[in-house]
Every structure is written in C-alpha cells, then in structure tokens.
Amino acid sequence: MTLTVQPFDAPLGAAAAGIDPRAVDAADLDALKRALAIHGVLVLHDQRLTPAELLAFSRRFGEIEYHVLDQYWLPEAPEVYVISNIVENGKPIGNPREGFGWHTDLSYMPLPTAYTFLYGIETPATGADTTFCTIYPATDALPAALRDKLDTMTARHSYAMLHASRPWAAPLTEQQKARSPDVFHPMIRTHPITGRKGLYLGGATCVQPLGLSDDEGRALIEDLYDRATRPEHTYAHQWRPHDLVFWDNRFVMHSATEYDRARYRRLIHRTSVRGEKPY
Ligand SMILES: [Fe+2]
C-alpha cells in the first residue's frame, strides 16, 4: 500500500489514506513521519483498532510515554490513556476534562512527546472538536529583536504548575510528583526531520521563561500564545467515530473544545510517543 495525503483547506492537517495502521512497513513509517513533519496533523478515517493495535502502531514511532495520571490508564493496556465523560459503577473510566487550552503534549517531561495518537471510539455528533495550530507562521513573523532574544532563551516547564492551575483535578500522589520534576527547554526548537525552527511553548499554565520577572514572563507567554494561535493558523478537527488522528507536537499545538456532556458520550483512546530532548 502507498500512503496518499490530501491536505485540508487549512494551514495544517491532511487526510491520509492507503495505510493500514495494523500493517505498517518501514517505508510506510518513513512516509508517515515525513508527512507529519510537513502537514503536522494526519487523519485516518474509519479505523477499527483494538487498544493493542493502537499501541502497536504507536510503538512504531518510538517509545510510549505513560501519562502522569495513572488513574486514567486503560486497565488492560496502561500505556493507553483514556479520555471520557463515561462513568461506570460510579467511577469515571477516563479523564473527563483533558486537553483544554492551547498546548503541546507532555512538554514538562525531559523527553517531551513527539507524536500523539487519538483514536475516537465514541464521539459527540457536535462539539468536542480538537483544534490544532502550526507554530511556524507566528515564528517566521516574529519581530527580529524578539526573535533574536528568544533564540537564546530557555523556559521552565512544570507539571506542578500545570496541575495547580486545575482546581478541579485530584491532588497528585507523591509518586506522580516524583515522576514529573520541572524541566528546562529552549524557547525555539529545531525540528529533527526538517531542520525548521519554531517556538516551543508547551502549555500557557506550565511554562515560565527564565531570566525574566514573573510579570514579564507571563506577558511574553501571553503575547507568544496570541501570535501563535490566531484563527488563520488553525485547523479544527470535527470528530467522526473511528477517526485516528495523530500529530507532530514539535511544531503543532492543540486544544480541546467543549461539548454537551449531559447529552453525548465521548470515549477516546490516546497514546503518546516520546521524542528527543528539544534543541
Ligand atoms: Fe494534549
């Protein structure tokens, strides 16, 4: 089979076809990684993937990252993280409020996520879009003086800060805290496949530029998020059941959107693949 990609009428994202995620050879894998490095987001419709098949496909891209919140690991496959509003026997089967606010995945890890895979099993008829933006237009349009400064800057990425910004979330266990000490990444990173440089912003509530006061740091982050996430840089994915959506977190940010939780069930299986140390 040969991969074909049909770019969306958007600044990023493409529909992929001609690939069976359950039978990917080395050439397919290479083509998928290159397509992700160009289009940022790929969508494969009408997939039927067991958790084991989703995992096996994800593993072809690299080492699986376990999510910090172990209470939402899929019991039979803990590398699969469950996003859902479904409650069974009085217990949520997944994280009901995952992914709101623009971010890249797991930037607070020493080796942040390179690729994220979301497989939609139950998806609301309306709402719950996943919105994506490419970081490159904003990076390329930075004023020269700001760009020069950012080229030399490092930021702290902190899961503790992120968690503190979510008052509804359960307190972290000591083990969860130990798994997520603060890490430091450059504010402009290089894509390992294309060599292209782009802002690396993590999540607005977990990133703190070094060498600035708290107020200056917050103002800079707000300004960069505003530049990066303008509507003309985005694509909103409207889910259909059995969509497999995956993206390259090294230059793509994303954000969840709300849906009618009383009316619709949502069940998403997610896997994350660890990348390199940002440089
Ligand atoms: Fe995310």
Side-chain angles (χ1 to χ4, degrees):
M1 293 176 95
T2 310
L3 174 70
T4 57
V5 290
Q6 181 65 46
F8 298 136
D9 184 17
L12 75 165
I19 288 278
D20 181 352
R22 294 164 301 182
V24 168
D25 64 21
D28 292 334
L29 182 65
D30 192 51
L32 283 169
K33 285 183 175 175
R34 285 180 184 282
L36 283 165
I38 294 164
H39 301 288
V41 184
L42 293 179
V43 178
L44 276 166
H45 293 298
D46 302 320
Q47 301 300 309
R48 295 290 187 283
L49 297 175
T50 64
E53 287 168 341
L54 173 64
L55 253 181
F57 176 60
S58 310
R59 277 210 179 97
R60 298 299 306 278
F61 289 77
E63 214 173 316
I64 301 292
E65 183 66 82
Y66 286 80
H67 199 280
V68 176
L69 299 180
D70 45 14
Q71 65 266 45
Y72 302 126
W73 294 354
L74 188 69
E76 65 267 34
E79 303 96 325
V80 175
Y81 182 77
V82 181
I83 300 167
S84 184
N85 63 332
I86 299 169
V87 176
E88 277 174 4
N89 304 318
K91 205 172 158 236
I93 65 164
N95 190 342
R97 292 195 57 84
E98 178 70 37
F100 289 88
W102 287 102
H103 64 284
T104 57
D105 282 335
L106 278 68
S107 74
Y108 44 79
M109 301 299 275
L111 303 176
T113 301
Y115 302 108
T116 305
F117 303 79
L118 295 184
Y119 176 52
I121 298 160
E122 294 186 65
T123 61
T126 57
D129 294 359
T130 306
T131 42
F132 296 95
C133 79
T134 163
I135 205 72
Y136 291 139
T139 308
D140 294 346
L142 286 170
L146 177 57
R147 170 62 193 259
D148 287 349
K149 192 166 95 174
L150 287 165
D151 266 324
T152 65
M153 285 181 72
T154 299
R156 175 198 309 276
H157 293 247
S158 165
Y159 188 75
M161 270 170 65
L162 174 69
H163 193 265
S165 74
R166 296 170 165 173
W168 63 86
L172 293 180
T173 64
E174 288 308 313
Q175 211 175 18
Q176 286 170 340
K177 282 183 201 165
R179 262 178 57 74
S180 49
D182 290 357
V183 298
F184 300 88
H185 300 312
M187 293 198 67
I188 303 263
R189 73 179 293 184
T190 308
H191 195 285
I193 295 176
T194 62
R196 203 165 170 188
K197 288 176 186 287
L199 285 160
Y200 189 57
L201 298 178
T205 53
C206 78
V207 64
Q208 189 179 39
L210 300 186
L212 300 178
S213 71
D214 285 358
D215 284 352
E216 287 170 337
R218 255 192 302 274
L220 175 62
I221 291 297
E222 266 172 37
D223 176 48
L224 295 176
Y225 270 79
D226 177 61
R227 292 168 185 274
T229 61
R230 288 178 188 159
E232 62 268 29
H233 304 154
T234 66
Y235 159 68
H237 182 67
Q238 296 173 330
W239 284 88
R240 305 199 309 226
H242 310 294
D243 279 350
L244 175 63
V245 178
F246 47 119
W247 64 91
D248 188 326
N249 284 280
R250 294 170 293 201
F251 72 101
V252 172
M253 298 174 76
H254 60 283
S255 175
T257 56
E258 208 30 277
Y259 62 102
D260 185 342
R261 291 159 182 272
R263 182 164 177 197
Y264 296 117
R265 283 161 61 102
R266 185 167 190 249
L267 175 58
I268 304 280
H269 283 174
R270 167 176 126 169
T271 51
S272 307
V273 168
R274 202 175 289 169
E276 60 290 316
K277 168 131 187 68
Y279 59 94

